[in-house]
Amino acid sequence: MAVPVETLIFLDVDGVLNVGVYDQGNAPVAFNADNLQLAEQLAGRGHPLADRLRAVASREIEHGKDITYKSLVATEGDLSDTLVERLAWLIQSAGTMCQVVLSSSWRRPQHARRAAFLESRISKQLGKPFTFDDRTVIREERTAMDRLKCLGDYVETFCKKRDSNAGKLRLLVLEDFCISALSGLSSNEGPIDSCEDAERYLLRKAGDDTTASVRIIHTFESWKTEQGMRVAIGCGITMEHFSRALKFLDGERCLQDDPVALEDGATKLDTDTLGLKGLADSYVGLVGHPPSLVDRALTLVHGM
């Protein structure tokens, strides 16, 4: 008899189901069509934010396929159809013993309507009703360590309540960690200088249970342009991230160049069975951010 596997998926939204551009001292700036159009109009005028938006637009996200972040712009509900489809695929792949925990700022009461819309979008992709199973505790989170501690506290409490005879436990974290690198962080258990360190931190919070495994999908990218400008983004669940998450949930299946190919490249995943309409056809989607951030970003772009 197969050993049952329980899965917790921790979901951040901004920078995971959309793309956000780091703007020091301010909330992330939406990488949407309006902002990009304004950024292009301001080309050559020495506007740092506009320059960053254009740098993101030209950044290649799938090497050798001529696909850039310019293909990822805002759509209805501040969500990407493509990225929500990928999330739905991961939820389906996790099996019937999967719980999805909202760890995003969208868990806050003022974002209740936004979270409800996200639930409706996930429901549509899964082909069945979906609601978040739980939310992490609401607290002030300004840094990557703040978010990691919040996740760790949830894992610790969850595992203490868990039946000692329960089967395997998988923890999948989809998170951009405030559009920052997982390095130079400090915890009571020691320094955290990599994604692997953060995974070990969560594993310790699980009680070092030998039946538990952790995978963090860190949706963060940063680079320096040819002009020497530093750019950092919450990049969303790229194909590389999606492949790593799927392999964690099902070690026998991984994605190759064809986003719907199995590991042996011979058989395609059945999107009808998964309830994901058009998943095989639309891996490049449109993403956005909450309206308040859109308004602020537009004001910044117009202000110069």
Side-chain angles (χ1 to χ4, degrees), residues 238-291:
T238 65
M239 279 303 303
E240 179 181 355
H241 293 129
F242 180 50
S243 179
R244 290 187 65 243
L246 191 61
K247 288 168 68 176
F248 174 69
L249 296 174
D250 185 351
E252 296 180 358
R253 181 168 64 204
C254 71
L255 300 179
Q256 296 183 336
D257 293 339
D258 182 350
V260 292
L262 298 184
E263 187 169 15
D264 60 8
T267 308
K268 290 189 176 181
L269 295 172
D270 186 349
T271 56
D272 292 332
T273 299
L274 292 175
L276 308 178
K277 297 180 180 179
L279 185 59
D281 303 317
S282 58
Y283 268 105
V284 177
L286 310 176
V287 299
H289 266 273

Side-chain angles (χ1 to χ4, degrees), residues 9-21:
I9 297 179
F10 292 95
L11 178 68
D12 188 13
V13 179
D14 293 324
V16 174
L17 299 182
N18 55 39
V19 172
V21 182

Side-chain angles (χ1 to χ4, degrees), residues 79-251:
L79 298 166
S80 162
D81 285 340
T82 297
L83 300 181
V84 173
E85 286 173 340
R86 290 177 182 173
L87 171 64
W89 192 318
L90 295 176
I91 293 171
Q92 187 70 40
S93 297
T96 58
M97 295 180 63
C98 174
Q99 298 183 54
V100 184
V101 180
L102 186 63
S103 55
S104 165
S105 61
W106 287 36
R107 72 191 188 277
R108 297 179 180 276
Q110 62 266 37
H111 300 308
R113 292 178 65 181
R114 194 171 293 151
F117 181 75
L118 172 56
E119 288 175 328
S120 72
R121 292 283 292 274
I122 297 173
S123 297
K124 181 179 179 180
Q125 298 301 332
L126 287 173
K128 61 183 179 181
F130 170 88
T131 57
F132 289 107
D133 295 284
D134 204 355
R135 289 160 167 77
T136 53
V137 173
I138 295 175
R139 61 174 65 165
E140 191 69 24
E141 295 170 321
R142 295 183 178 275
T143 67
M145 195 64 228
D146 291 339
R147 176 58 61 83
L148 186 60
K149 285 180 178 178
C150 188
L151 295 172
D153 289 348
Y154 186 98
V155 169
E156 185 175 32
T157 299
F158 179 87
C159 290
K160 284 181 178 178
K161 295 179 179 178
R162 195 166 181 257
D163 192 316
S164 59
N165 295 320
K168 294 181 179 179
L169 174 65
R170 298 179 298 200
L171 306 173
L172 176 62
V173 179
L174 307 174
E175 176 69 63
D176 75 347
F177 287 103
C178 305
I179 312 185
S180 61
L182 286 173
S183 63
L185 307 181
S186 178
S187 72
N188 293 334
E189 289 78 9
I192 295 175
D193 290 307
S194 67
C195 197
E196 291 74 18
D197 286 345
E199 290 173 344
R200 284 189 284 270
Y201 170 85
L202 293 179
L203 190 60
R204 287 193 294 271
K205 290 295 184 178
D208 288 319
D209 189 341
T210 56
T211 66
S213 57
V214 181
R215 175 60 50 85
I216 293 177
I217 303 299
H218 188 197
T219 58
F220 166 76
E221 184 180 10
S222 67
W223 68 94
K224 186 178 289 187
T225 67
E226 293 180 356
Q227 293 73 32
M229 177 178 61
R230 176 65 64 182
V231 180
I233 62 173
C235 62
I237 307 173
T238 65
M239 279 303 303
E240 179 181 355
H241 293 129
F242 180 50
S243 179
R244 290 187 65 243
L246 191 61
K247 288 168 68 176
F248 174 69
L249 296 174
D250 185 351

Side-chain angles (χ1 to χ4, degrees), residues 47-59:
H47 192 294
L49 176 56
D51 292 343
R52 283 189 175 86
L53 287 169
R54 291 196 308 278
V56 174
S58 62
R59 179 73 170 179

